[in-house]
Amino acid sequence: VVTWAEGREEVIFVAAGASELPGGRYVEAVPCADGPGASEAVCCKVVEGFHLALQRFPAAQWLVMASDDTYVFVEQLRSELEIFNPTKQIYVG
């Protein structure tokens, strides 16, 4: 959290429960239960996370989902996305 996302206000963290992270960041609570149905919870968190991102950043050209153990090289990602048209609905992954 205090690595690639530090200082980036356009990053949202989601989980089944809200909590505070180091550096004053917060995990947003989404209505997805953790537990025995873990695969369903992951799907739910992804969908709810994208809904939250669309509400919070309606003018965003791109939405990117990354797991909590993924390091994102933001400038490299921006460079890679330049070949795509942000007005077209596509899935890259």
Side-chain angles (χ1 to χ4, degrees):
V1 175
V2 275
T3 57
W4 67 268
E6 188 172 16
R8 297 185 181 277
E9 295 301 317
E10 67 276 10
V11 176
I12 298 173
F13 299 95
V14 298
S19 62
E20 187 172 354
L21 299 170
R25 301 299 296 259
Y26 291 91
V27 175
E28 307 270 349
V30 291
C32 308
D34 288 329
S39 60
E40 291 87 4
V42 170
C43 182
C44 177
K45 290 175 194 172
V46 169
V47 170
E48 292 295 329
F50 277 124
H51 284 173
L52 184 61
L54 287 168
Q55 290 171 0
R56 182 121 357 119
F57 309 111
Q61 288 188 319
W62 301 104
L63 298 177
V64 177
M65 195 275 307
S67 297
D68 60 352
D69 61 350
T70 302
Y71 189 94
V72 178
F73 293 90
V74 177
E75 295 308 318
Q76 180 66 31
L77 179 60
R78 270 197 191 110
S79 175
E80 296 290 332
L81 289 173
E82 285 179 358
I83 66 169
F84 300 104
N85 181 346
T87 65
K88 303 285 184 194
Q89 291 186 359
I90 61 168
Y91 171 84
V92 180

